[in-house]
Amino acid sequence: MASLVGKRWGHCARDNVRRSAIVAIAMAAASALLPVGAAGADESVPVTVATDRQEQVLDVRDGVMVSRVSYSLPLPAGAPEHPAECDRTGYLRYRPVGGPEHSSAADNVIVQQPGAIGGAVNSDSVAANTVAAARALGQNVEFWALARRSACLDETAGFDYALRTGNYLDAVDYYFNGKPIDGQVFPGFKESQDLAVLDVMGMERVIRDQYEMMLFEIPNQAVRQQKYVCTGISLGGLVTGFFADWDFDGNPATTNDAGYQQCAAFAAQDTMITSDPVAIQNTPLLHDITNAIVGPTNDVVKAVANVGVLPRALVSVPMIGSRSFMIYRLAGLAAHLEPDAESRLLSHLPRDFDLDTTLNFMFSGSLPSFATNGADGSGSIRDFRFTNAALLGVFIDNNSGNFALFQQGVGALDGGPVAEKTFPTPGSVTQIPLLGGFLRVSAGSQQRVRPTDRNALYTWRNYDNVRGVPYTAPNHEVSDIRDAARQLGTGAPYAYWETYFPARLFIDIGAGYGGARSGDLTNLRYANMARTKPNYISYAGDGFVQQGVGIVVPPPPTAQVVTLPGYSHVDTIGAARSQSDGKPDASAQTLAEFVKSLR
């Protein structure tokens, strides 16, 4: 089936290219007749340079078809050496079974930028749930979960092999213990000097990829302005803010190519959509001063980064490095393949600084426990027994994990006694007025616990089976650990967590927010134009964004603002379609309702 779809879309791609050229000529000739926002008499119609559209169906699940769409968009001449895969980019496409075959025929298309380090699979739940919710409202809506270009460097061979064999240890031993797969030994994680290609995968590359794909699928600008809803989760919202304010042809006299002119509306998922959060661009003097200072500084920083002095990716950093994220992905793979079996993952992981520090941080219940890695008598995570599902829960659950950015409400520990955690902060400190909202960013807002019995085999109670658990409640457990495990354990074409997230993107955002509008940010020409369109903002009720960033940078006054009770930051894109009270995922439902209101 996949090959047939690929062939059919290959023909469609060629037809689409020819169609784009014809449409471009026709629209240019009749530009005076087009509605406001389309090409004026003195403007050309933006036409994509993307070619060779390919589509492969990956899954059909609960009325939603999931496929991978990719295009040929070669990196610029002179780009550092890179795999051929890096000359293509794409997304995961979610659409209703039986719905329109072509994106241009959908009622609306939601285009989502992923969060920091997140792959396209991050948004698997909210994408499928939104498509289903829209269908129930009588709408045929597509959801594109974009994959950054840097996903071309993802490590998936071990996952692909383990998913075939059914043995998660095949992947663990491939990545960490030198086990060959099909005669090949994992060469080790790349370091900064091996990742020069990330230098050309900053902000402009990320948003231009989005722009080209949007133009390819819907060549008519008037239709784009009616159908595309541009959105982002977490850092993806910031990227979407830059997209909205970018001048894609570099000509200040034209605006049809501007990012905000491609979207009917903007939607922020536990984030904000802006390229100028403190309104520097609103004051000419401040604009000039900051650009004069930050612009040249940005040029120097990037020149230094380009010779490898600054890290191009965080590889061996505890908690947020490539090797640490591999642990979370492998835990998901194990919980997907053998959820109820006693886990052997930790016994197959080597003992080294960044891995042990990551495990210690995620598991420790107190400062003395962390300082001694459990030698104070509390024990390290390797001293306890878990099923694979329970081990994953310990890493990511909002009542277990010690890092709010990774938390989801996926259930509760079972099978043995537990004790309350106070490291790095107790959940109770988030109740402190004003300051407590900002403290949520450390370890979340919920009470957290850890095992205490080294002989017990700890098991897991899923999100819809937590009644009677003293430290949580059903309305704070909204994500299915089976979904999380399947997503984390995904192999090709995209990983749940990017193996090598480009640090360049952080530099670009910092420079843009600081006022740089020169050098490679010259085309960041507009200021907060997303606010001129309909806006939707969903905040995680148990998250840290609304109580922190949402106070410092309030949403547009006309925005539809939704608070999702009991949701953590990741739950906004990872919640189960059906909640324990029988209601649908509120994140997807409210987004679908917002999109329908645009018609």
Side-chain angles (χ1 to χ4, degrees):
M1 178 179 181
S3 61
L4 291 175
V5 171
K7 290 178 181 177
R8 184 169 66 247
W9 277 102
H11 292 304
C12 290
R14 290 188 290 273
D15 291 344
N16 206 342
V17 171
R18 287 193 291 268
R19 215 167 35 243
S20 295
I22 294 169
V23 169
I25 295 169
M27 289 183 69
S31 58
L33 302 177
L34 294 177
V36 175
D42 58 345
E43 291 195 45
S44 60
V45 177
V47 178
T48 183
V49 298
T51 61
D52 188 29
R53 182 191 194 278
Q54 297 179 12
E55 181 164 16
Q56 179 184 20
V57 174
L58 304 176
D59 194 12
V60 178
R61 187 174 68 244
D62 300 327
V64 177
M65 179 178 291
V66 186
S67 57
R68 187 232 185 161
V69 178
S70 71
Y71 310 80
S72 174
L73 269 170
L75 291 173
E81 184 178 354
H82 55 273
E85 292 83 358
C86 295
D87 284 322
R88 299 191 66 86
T89 192
Y91 52 88
L92 294 180
R93 180 191 184 198
Y94 296 77
R95 59 190 176 102
V97 172
E101 186 176 6
H102 296 278
S103 299
S104 58
D107 291 317
N108 286 99
V109 179
I110 300 168
V111 184
Q112 187 207 52
Q113 281 286 349
I117 312 173
V121 187
N122 260 190
S123 294
D124 179 74
S125 291
V126 74
N129 294 352
T130 303
V131 170
R135 192 64 177 268
L137 294 171
Q139 302 290 299
N140 286 309
V141 168
E142 288 193 11
F143 195 114
W144 297 356
L146 300 180
R148 277 181 290 265
R149 183 72 70 110
S150 43
C152 65
L153 302 174
D154 279 344
E155 299 289 354
T156 63
F159 290 83
D160 296 335
Y161 186 75
L163 289 167
R164 293 197 303 269
T165 65
N167 184 358
Y168 67 92
L169 292 177
D170 286 338
V172 179
D173 290 339
Y174 171 71
Y175 289 113
F176 289 105
N177 298 315
K179 178 177 180 177
I181 288 180
D182 296 331
Q184 299 295 316
V185 175
F186 179 56
F189 291 92
K190 295 178 174 64
E191 296 295 340
S192 186
Q193 64 269 20
D194 308 315
L195 296 167
V197 69
L198 293 183
D199 293 342
V200 295
M201 294 187 184
M203 181 63 73
E204 183 171 13
R205 181 73 269 158
V206 170
I207 59 178
R208 185 166 292 280
D209 284 347
Q210 175 180 345
Y211 176 76
E212 298 292 352
M213 292 185 289
M214 290 171 66
L215 263 60
F216 189 102
E217 293 298 326
I218 302 181
N220 187 313
Q221 181 156 10
V223 179
R224 287 198 298 275
Q225 290 187 333
Q226 294 173 352
K227 294 200 174 186
Y228 281 128
V229 177
C230 299
T231 183
I233 166 68
S234 194
L235 176 136
L238 316 186
V239 173
T240 301
F242 279 68
F243 174 86
D245 293 335
W246 202 265
D247 177 3
F248 282 97
D249 72 356
N251 182 357
T254 62
T255 60
N256 288 335
D257 57 287
Y260 69 91
Q261 294 278 45
Q262 318 309 315
C263 310
F266 291 86
Q269 293 159 298
D270 213 32
T271 186
M272 60 181 180
I273 293 178
T274 177
S275 67
D276 185 27
V278 294
I280 291 173
Q281 306 306 311
N282 289 356
T283 307
L285 178 61
L286 190 58
H287 162 278
D288 293 342
I289 291 174
T290 55
N291 187 41
I293 296 172
V294 181
T297 302
N298 178 47
D299 294 340
V300 171
V301 169
K302 286 173 180 171
V304 171
N306 284 353
V307 295
V309 175
L310 295 177
R312 294 183 169 104
L314 305 176
V315 179
S316 297
V317 178
M319 293 299 301
I320 57 173
S322 302
R323 299 175 80 243
S324 296
F325 276 109
M326 184 62 77
I327 298 177
Y328 312 135
R329 290 173 60 195
L330 290 170
L333 178 67
H336 174 56
L337 293 176
E338 298 182 48
D340 300 321
E342 182 168 355
S343 182
R344 294 182 288 162
L345 170 60
L346 296 178
S347 65
H348 281 247
L349 287 179
R351 294 179 182 270
D352 60 35
F353 176 77
D354 57 309
L355 296 187
D356 283 342
T357 302
T358 296
L359 294 172
N360 185 23
F361 185 94
M362 291 299 286
F363 186 71
S364 292
S366 66
L367 184 57
S369 176
F370 177 68
T372 64
N373 195 14
D376 64 337
S378 61
S380 75
I381 192 171
R382 297 180 191 259
D383 295 326
F384 293 86
R385 301 171 60 208
F386 305 95
T387 63
N388 285 312
L391 181 61
L392 176 60
V394 165
F395 285 148
I396 69 172
D397 187 62
N398 58 349
N399 300 112
S400 300
N402 286 345
F403 195 16
L405 276 173
F406 301 156
Q407 289 178 354
Q408 287 185 260
V410 292
L413 275 169
D414 202 5
V418 296
E420 183 176 1
K421 287 184 173 186
T422 58
F423 175 83
T425 56
S428 58
V429 302
T430 63
Q431 304 306 311
I432 299 173
L434 188 61
L435 179 61
F438 290 92
L439 291 175
R440 289 185 178 196
V441 74
S442 62
S445 61
Q446 299 301 300
Q447 180 182 359
R448 287 166 293 108
V449 300
R450 57 165 280 168
T452 58
D453 187 339
R454 303 189 192 197
N455 295 313
L457 176 62
Y458 284 86
T459 57
W460 195 255
R461 297 173 67 165
N462 206 359
Y463 79 108
D464 54 357
N465 182 31
V466 297
R467 267 182 211 288
V469 176
Y471 53 84
T472 189
N475 60 342
H476 290 274
E477 306 295 335
V478 301
S479 295
D480 192 326
I481 197 168
R482 295 169 298 186
D483 290 337
R486 173 178 52 80
Q487 293 157 3
L488 280 159
T490 299
Y494 301 124
Y496 184 88
W497 295 117
E498 275 191 55
T499 311
Y500 304 106
F501 175 79
R504 175 59 57 91
L505 204 52
F506 290 133
I507 297 174
D508 283 336
I509 291 173
Y513 277 11
R517 295 296 185 273
S518 60
D520 57 7
L521 292 178
T522 297
N523 289 330
L524 185 55
R525 197 172 307 282
Y526 310 105
N528 290 329
M529 291 303 293
R531 291 177 172 241
T532 66
K533 300 290 183 77
N535 271 247
Y536 159 95
I537 301 173
S538 61
Y539 288 122
D542 285 352
F544 50 84
V545 175
Q546 186 173 25
Q547 302 300 319
V549 174
I551 294 174
V552 178
V553 185
T558 58
Q560 177 183 329
V561 180
V562 175
T563 300
L564 307 171
Y567 280 54
S568 71
H569 184 62
V570 179
D571 287 331
T572 60
I573 56 171
R577 183 175 301 185
S578 178
Q579 296 296 291
S580 56
D581 61 2
K583 295 180 179 179
D585 167 21
S587 181
Q589 184 68 32
T590 55
L591 178 57
E593 290 170 355
F594 169 75
V595 171
K596 183 178 181 180
S597 74
L598 301 173
R599 305 302 296 175

